[in-house]
Amino acid sequence: MKRIIYIIATLAVLAACNKNFDPKIYGVLTEQNFPGSESDFESLVMSCYIPYTNTWTYSLYASEGNQHPWYIPAGGVLKQFDTTSDVEAPWINGVWNVNQRQLSEANFSMCRYYPRSPLDDNRPNHYPKTREVTRFTSVIGTIQSSDKLPEEKKNALLAEARLLRGLHMYNLLHVYGPVPLIVNPDDVENTEALCNAVRPSLDEISQWIYDDFSFAVAYMPESQTARSRFTRDFARVCLMRHCLNEGYHCDGWYDKALEMYSELNTGKYRLFKTGSNPYKDMFREANDFNCEIIAAISCDPSSTGNLKEGSMNPFAMLAMPNNAAKKDDLGNPTPFAIAGPGWGMTFNLAPKFYDSFEAGDLRRESIITSYYTTSGEWWGPAEIGRKSEWDGYVPYKYPAETATAPCFGNDFPLARWADVLLMFAEAQVRKNGAAPSDEAVAAVNEVRARAGLGPLASSKTASAEAFLDALLDERGHELWFEGLRKIDLIRFNQYARRVRKTKGVIPTHQYMPIPDYAVNEAAEKGKKLEQEYSREGWDADKAAASL
């Protein structure tokens, strides 16, 4: 396999990180002249950020076609982990492509037919990103083998590249289950390794991700001059999440999750509590990178989503109904007054999920349960399922505040202190296997208090089982449409049951099947790539959901 040469002229895309990165244009690149300087190596690492910029699509390999970045709502983590969870209701009406509708039904049967290079949002195929892991591994190998960098700088760049690779692997794991990956730089040009297209074990891929995140925790910069470059604290959150997910089969990982909490709990972060409804206000543009935000995709309202422009947040356009009026029947401005109608609610919030909130929960105020239409009607709960494209409520967490449709400037949060508090409480209970400590209960109650709620009832803290069940509710109410829900449900062995409760259907699979083309290519190499994967407990979860 010919060694990869990175054409850094494409790094004009890194203006997409809030215009904080300057592109570097080279002439003819060879292994002899690039990378040659410290700034060259930094540019090389920056190429690994491309899948983490909020543009409509990107392409690292022309032969693979366009890919969705991980955090773009059109096909990224929101569609993978929220649309397919108990948060969103199945689409009933409208003109949605059958592939999109089935995702909202937690029906993954069609995923096996996804083509290698989808050019639309209807079939968000992330499997080609397995090849991008190889590219990141090559970057890591280039840095590791260099004698042109001071040791401290080398480790910092390696840490950044490994965090990005680890996050790539983490997301792939939670879309497909374990997938074949190249993580050893010596294997980048090893034909035998490249052809070994079989699933690794869950323990193996979990360790690869753990090792990358751990290295990042050890050597990442504590701060960055550019907002959209990740920091050591984000690495700590990533490792904490991963250890919480996989601690049931990896010894000592709950302890590591608690260690990450201790390193984060220095007073640097706290819950955002400004305004009459702090939860609602936290996601407004004026409060980007507030005291609660550990990491976020920094978005620019002037962007159009072009690969060479700033990151943007089109969530509002994908959540607002396409017949939403700017003024109501009394002439008052509606929540849609600035931007007008959306594109027909790619995202909605399941009414039964909404009903699970406690009375007085301030987090519900970011959900619109009725609206005035451009045809002069009020649509509310009674119209769901009877009116075109009104399949559930409007999740207005990231509101349109500027007339810059379809792109808005709300930052997309990747890690918040509220999530860390809830993970701390969960990790402590899972480690001890007993009723929660006062400290764990206090962490959850702090999040509840910000939402205008009282402490958890004593019945919900009397045992580990009762507390974890309440904690899963709390995570759903706090973190909806932040790209975490399906991962949480699987960790709690509640995916089938919770989806059945709010959608009325049982998911066809726990994870998305690997596309046929990849399975067939593996067979041509004499390898058996298992198309479907599920964790232990999935059969019991489905059986309980069917009762």
Side-chain angles (χ1 to χ4, degrees):
M1 176 181 176
K2 186 176 180 180
R3 186 170 181 81
I4 298 169
I5 300 295
Y6 296 89
I7 309 302
I8 305 303
T10 64
L11 288 183
V13 70
L14 289 173
C17 293
N18 204 32
K19 303 184 186 298
N20 283 315
F21 301 129
D22 293 324
K24 182 171 290 188
I25 309 300
Y26 292 86
V28 177
L29 301 183
T30 70
E31 294 177 16
Q32 286 68 46
N33 67 12
F34 183 86
S37 66
E38 189 171 306
S39 62
D40 286 351
F41 282 96
E42 190 149 359
S43 293
L44 192 60
V45 170
M46 292 304 96
S47 70
C48 299
Y49 272 98
I50 294 175
Y52 303 96
T53 56
N54 257 18
T55 55
W56 291 120
T57 61
Y58 73 93
S59 179
L60 292 183
Y61 292 98
S63 63
E64 299 289 358
N66 291 334
Q67 286 288 296
H68 288 287
W70 280 118
Y71 300 116
I72 193 68
V77 297
L78 296 183
K79 188 167 283 185
Q80 296 295 323
F81 304 137
D82 285 289
T83 290
T84 59
S85 77
D86 61 341
V87 170
E88 183 161 332
W91 297 335
I92 304 168
N93 297 305
V95 293
W96 296 113
N97 178 281
V98 65
N99 291 279
Q100 290 211 48
R101 181 179 294 115
Q102 288 179 334
L103 285 180
S104 75
E105 297 166 343
N107 181 350
F108 301 102
S109 301
M110 74 295 183
C111 298
R112 63 179 296 170
Y113 304 117
Y114 282 2
R116 181 192 301 277
S117 303
L119 298 177
D120 53 44
D121 298 339
N122 296 322
R123 292 173 288 188
N125 177 17
H126 291 283
Y127 196 76
K129 290 184 174 65
T130 57
R131 188 181 179 192
E132 293 173 9
V133 171
T134 305
R135 180 168 186 161
F136 290 6
T137 299
S138 181
V139 169
I140 290 166
T142 298
I143 299 170
Q144 284 177 337
S145 62
S146 174
D147 58 2
K148 301 175 183 178
L149 290 168
E151 193 67 18
E152 183 177 355
K153 183 65 175 180
K154 175 186 282 193
N155 284 334
L157 291 176
L158 279 173
E160 204 162 0
R162 292 190 67 172
L163 174 60
L164 294 163
R165 183 180 68 172
L167 194 54
H168 228 41
M169 294 192 291
Y170 176 91
N171 287 330
L172 284 167
L173 169 62
H174 291 289
V175 174
Y176 297 105
V179 290
L181 301 168
I182 298 295
V183 295
N184 182 349
D186 292 339
D187 289 336
V188 169
E189 299 182 25
N190 183 329
T191 301
E192 183 177 352
L194 292 168
C195 291
N196 189 30
V198 297
R199 288 186 186 265
S201 69
L202 180 59
D203 283 345
E204 285 176 313
I205 192 170
S206 296
Q207 190 65 51
W208 297 340
I209 298 167
Y210 180 95
D211 291 344
D212 274 359
F213 287 164
S214 294
F215 191 90
V217 167
Y219 296 107
M220 279 285 288
E222 291 285 2
S223 62
Q224 299 273 25
T225 56
R227 274 184 170 184
S228 287
R229 286 184 70 170
F230 298 149
T231 65
R232 188 176 298 188
D233 280 347
F234 182 50
R236 290 177 173 119
V237 172
C238 290
L239 183 56
M240 190 177 185
R241 284 175 179 163
H242 183 54
C243 288
L244 195 56
N245 289 328
E246 312 304 337
Y248 75 93
H249 65 95
C250 295
D251 292 342
W253 284 19
Y254 293 140
D255 287 305
K256 178 59 73 170
L258 293 171
E259 181 185 327
M260 292 301 98
Y261 173 74
S262 296
E263 292 186 14
L264 288 162
N265 189 25
T266 62
K268 184 177 179 180
Y269 306 103
R270 61 189 185 279
L271 295 183
F272 180 79
K273 296 182 180 180
T274 301
S276 59
N277 186 338
Y279 184 84
K280 187 176 182 179
D281 290 345
M282 174 170 47
F283 301 99
R284 298 182 70 87
E285 288 185 43
N287 296 316
D288 287 347
F289 277 89
N290 59 69
C291 61
E292 183 165 339
I293 302 300
I294 300 169
I297 298 295
S298 185
C299 298
D300 184 348
S302 68
S303 171
T304 66
N306 185 284
L307 191 61
K308 296 182 180 181
E309 296 180 357
S311 287
M312 49 84 187
N313 188 346
F315 182 85
M317 289 301 292
L318 293 163
M320 294 187 295
N322 62 5
N323 63 344
K326 290 187 175 185
K327 293 183 179 181
D328 64 19
D329 52 340
L330 299 178
N332 298 312
T334 71
F336 317 112
I338 296 176
W343 288 338
M345 292 183 67
T346 297
F347 298 108
N348 71 67
L349 193 128
K352 288 184 178 179
F353 184 81
Y354 177 86
D355 292 342
S356 71
F357 284 80
E358 296 174 50
D361 194 327
L362 295 175
R363 296 171 293 199
R364 291 197 309 183
E365 293 185 11
S366 295
I367 302 164
I368 298 172
T369 59
S370 64
Y371 71 98
Y372 193 67
T373 71
T374 51
S375 60
E377 299 178 282
W378 275 101
W379 284 10
E383 281 69 45
I384 290 177
R386 296 196 299 110
K387 299 289 187 177
S388 177
E389 299 182 29
W390 179 231
D391 305 322
Y393 300 144
V394 180
Y396 214 47
K397 193 168 194 169
Y398 314 103
E401 300 179 66
T402 54
T404 55
C407 307
F408 304 100
N410 319 67
D411 287 353
F412 182 76
L414 303 184
R416 294 196 286 119
W417 184 243
D419 185 19
V420 173
L421 287 173
L422 297 176
M423 287 195 292
F424 157 71
E426 182 183 344
Q428 193 179 82
V429 170
R430 291 194 185 279
K431 176 195 171 185
N432 297 331
S437 67
D438 290 344
E439 192 178 11
V441 174
V444 177
N445 284 338
E446 184 180 352
V447 175
R448 288 174 56 82
R450 195 262 298 277
L453 301 175
L456 286 171
S458 59
S459 60
K460 295 185 177 182
T461 62
S463 67
E465 182 178 19
F467 183 71
L468 289 175
D469 199 49
L471 187 56
L472 183 58
D473 288 337
E474 203 63 43
R475 289 189 62 82
H477 296 158
E478 178 67 27
L479 301 165
W480 53 275
F481 281 111
E482 294 187 40
L484 302 172
R485 187 57 175 173
K486 182 172 182 264
I487 298 172
D488 284 351
L489 293 175
I490 290 175
R491 183 172 71 253
F492 281 77
N493 286 324
Q494 290 277 331
Y495 182 43
R497 278 168 276 192
R498 294 284 182 132
V499 167
R500 173 67 183 273
K501 185 176 181 180
T502 61
K503 291 186 190 289
V505 298
I506 297 175
T508 59
H509 301 75
Q510 192 179 39
Y511 291 98
M512 187 178 283
I514 291 173
D516 281 349
Y517 74 81
V519 174
N520 294 336
E521 287 175 1
E524 291 171 2
K525 298 171 184 174
K527 302 294 181 180
K528 184 177 181 180
L529 177 57
E530 296 290 344
Q531 190 156 42
E532 299 179 2
Y533 179 84
S534 59
R535 292 179 186 247
E536 58 180 283
W538 174 235
D539 289 339
D541 185 18
K542 286 193 298 182
S546 65
L547 296 177

